Amino acid sequence: MDPVLIGEILAALMFFGVIGFLLLGFPVAFTLAGVSLLFGAVGMSFGVFDPSNFGSLPNRYIGFMTNEVLVAVPLFIFMGVMLERSQIAEQLLMTMGKLFGNLRGGLGFSVILVGAMLAASTGVVGATVVTMGLISLPAMLRAGYDPKLATGVICASGTLGQIVPPSTVLIFMGDMLSGINSQVQMAKGNFAPVPVSVGDLFAGALLPGMLLVGLYLAWVLFKAVTDPASCPATPVPAAERGQLGREVLVALVPPMLLILAVLGSILGGIATPTEAASVGAVGAMILAAIRWRLSFGVLKSTIVSTATITSMVFVILLGASVFSVVFRMMGGDNLVHEFLQNLPGGKLAAVAIVMLIMFFLGFILDTFEIIFIVIPITAPVLLALDVDPVWLGVIVGVNLQTSFLTPPFGFALFYLRGVAPSDMPTSAIYKGVFPFVALQLVAIALLFAFPEIVTWLPRLIAG
């Protein structure tokens, strides 16, 4: 049999083998590396894989450790965890709940808006979902909200941190697409390509993030009109209305200033994402100190949480690097290239197929696992077809936001299940997220139909 065909068959089997072992419950990073090494050994026995290819891994790992852009990841995580410890989210939720309390669906509106603000100031999904679940879910249930609507609003709003800048997913995506785009453009004879930066993806994701917020608000408004009993009003007592204006200012101004300092400096070209992340980390500590929440214990727990989350992400990245080396050197990238290039419908059809694959992978894999596996394989082909790298990165981010909501392995569902009342059935949480998954698919369709939603702001900033 043709060695090229053998290599492509082994590469395809390795991809499905990784998914199979993950479904058995093995840790992601070790599954990626272990299965890849196993198939690498099989490839050696067939003469279609050279073990010297593993010699490129040390340089890759050193590149990760010395990459200044990726330093922003632990800094943004630190900022998010510190803000959670300072109870800014708690004050925001309580204040916004009072502000919209007189409206049907008011608590739902407040959860969505607070979720958007926390996404723009933290980007940590787990902390946001747990915080809103602990504070808002009991209040919504006491007010008579439909459990499905309440849990769906909390889960969907908590995942906005995946796409609303500053997003750690977009940081990795921007770094990966920057290198891939440079290689693709040089291969096409363009030795001075327009660079793709994390700041471009942040700018491109801003309007799609607001689009999702608008869709979520529209759904709650629709429920308030068509099914008032599912989201009743919660009027604020007259004694509390006099202080409401001051409470809103106190609750809103600090996070808004932090958002302006971080995102404004990036989009305005004043600071790189890493520099802005350091400003955000220091700003989060200042806000915690102002609230008398900054102590050695809080700082220690924040550092430990940051190290844990960062280590988890980077260990997955290291395992994915082994997978990428074996897959590509056995001809898997050629297989993907031929498949996507020969699809009827051109580049949009190719992007649609990749999006569909990522969507279904989201049912069983985490966001980082998907981008570390799929982007290095598919992005070179899509960029060679002249797909805009910023548009591609943002639409992938919106697509993968659904991975937090789709059962059985949606992490937002697990986070909320852990803090929800024990008498609430898990099926209510699963049913509650379905309308919001559909809204995210609507958002993806709009980004396909109107790519300017993504590309307009980066081009405006670039002049």
Side-chain angles (χ1 to χ4, degrees):
M1 188 180 291
D2 184 6
V4 174
L5 180 60
I6 294 175
E8 292 178 348
I9 292 173
L10 288 176
L13 290 175
M14 182 176 70
F15 180 82
F16 291 108
V18 166
I19 295 175
F21 276 97
L22 290 174
L23 289 174
L24 293 175
F26 287 93
V28 176
F30 304 121
T31 297
L32 286 170
V35 172
S36 301
L37 291 173
L38 177 63
F39 273 86
V42 174
M44 288 168 53
S45 65
F46 280 99
V48 295
F49 181 76
D50 187 348
S52 64
N53 291 317
F54 288 128
S56 64
L57 288 175
N59 288 332
R60 286 193 179 202
Y61 294 163
I62 292 173
F64 296 147
M65 290 186 287
T66 57
N67 190 332
E68 183 180 339
V69 174
L70 298 184
V71 175
V73 173
L75 289 172
F76 277 130
I77 293 173
F78 178 92
M79 181 178 73
V81 177
M82 178 60 73
L83 286 174
E84 183 222 345
R85 300 289 193 272
S86 64
Q87 298 185 338
I88 285 180
E90 180 176 346
Q91 186 178 18
L92 267 174
L93 283 166
M94 294 175 66
T95 305
M96 297 295 282
K98 293 179 183 179
L99 184 63
F100 291 97
N102 291 328
L103 301 174
R104 286 200 302 266
L107 286 178
F109 296 146
S110 66
V111 168
I112 293 169
L113 293 174
V114 170
M117 283 187 282
L118 291 177
S121 56
T122 67
V124 181
V125 171
T128 304
V129 173
V130 170
T131 301
M132 293 198 298
L134 286 170
I135 300 166
S136 295
L137 185 58
M140 297 173 86
L141 296 178
R142 284 196 303 269
Y145 270 63
D146 182 344
K148 296 190 293 295
L149 178 62
T151 55
V153 166
I154 291 172
C155 286
S157 303
T159 62
L160 286 169
Q162 281 297 103
I163 188 63
V164 176
S167 163
T168 52
V169 170
L170 293 180
I171 293 173
F172 280 105
M173 198 99 67
D175 184 66
M176 295 167 71
L177 289 175
S178 175
I180 294 171
N181 186 59
S182 296
Q183 294 174 3
V184 169
Q185 294 301 320
M186 290 179 69
K188 296 171 70 172
N190 180 10
F191 295 101
V194 177
V196 179
S197 68
V198 173
D200 293 332
L201 261 67
F202 279 6
L206 201 56
L207 292 182
M210 296 304 101
L211 172 64
L212 283 172
V213 172
L215 290 173
Y216 295 167
L217 291 172
W219 174 251
V220 175
L221 178 62
F222 173 78
K223 295 292 288 184
V225 172
T226 61
D227 187 13
S230 66
C231 49
T234 54
V236 179
E240 298 181 17
R241 291 176 189 168
Q243 298 294 323
L244 188 55
R246 179 180 176 276
E247 289 181 21
V248 171
L249 284 176
V250 171
L252 279 178
V253 170
M256 292 303 293
L257 288 176
L258 190 64
I259 292 169
L260 182 62
V262 174
L263 282 186
S265 60
I266 296 173
L267 300 181
I270 300 171
T272 66
T274 303
E275 293 166 345
S278 63
V279 171
V282 174
M285 288 193 291
I286 292 173
L287 292 182
I290 292 173
R291 295 171 181 272
W292 300 99
R293 298 285 180 184
L294 186 61
S295 64
F296 178 77
V298 168
L299 188 60
K300 178 182 177 182
S301 65
T302 302
I303 292 172
V304 170
S305 296
T306 301
T308 302
I309 297 171
T310 305
S311 299
M312 176 193 71
V313 173
F314 276 89
V315 168
I316 295 172
L317 178 58
L318 300 183
S321 298
V322 182
F323 175 88
S324 179
V325 167
V326 178
F327 185 87
R328 293 183 63 189
M329 294 306 170
M330 287 200 300
D333 54 345
N334 293 328
L335 182 66
V336 173
H337 190 275
E338 292 173 5
F339 172 72
L340 293 178
Q341 275 204 327
N342 294 326
L343 282 173
K347 64 181 181 181
L348 287 182
V351 176
I353 289 295
V354 173
M355 291 301 105
L356 190 63
I357 293 171
M358 286 186 169
F359 175 75
F360 284 111
L361 286 177
F363 283 79
I364 56 175
L365 297 179
D366 178 43
T367 297
F368 288 106
E369 299 155 14
I370 296 173
I371 64 170
F372 292 155
I373 295 172
V374 179
I375 291 298
I377 296 172
T378 60
V381 186
L382 298 178
L383 296 185
L385 293 172
D386 294 326
V387 173
D388 187 293
V390 175
W391 179 79
L392 177 63
V394 172
I395 202 170
V396 167
V398 175
N399 188 359
L400 293 184
Q401 188 182 342
T402 61
S403 69
F404 277 88
L405 299 176
T406 46
F409 297 126
F411 280 90
L413 309 179
F414 293 152
Y415 295 142
L416 188 60
R417 175 68 275 177
V419 298
S422 58
D423 58 346
M424 173 178 284
T426 303
S427 60
I429 300 176
Y430 282 12
K431 291 176 182 177
V433 300
F434 284 149
F436 293 93
V437 172
L439 291 175
Q440 289 174 338
L441 295 178
V442 169
I444 293 173
L446 289 174
L447 297 184
F448 263 91
F450 306 101
E452 296 82 8
I453 298 174
V454 175
T455 59
W456 174 76
L457 187 56
R459 289 174 181 170
L460 179 66
I461 293 173

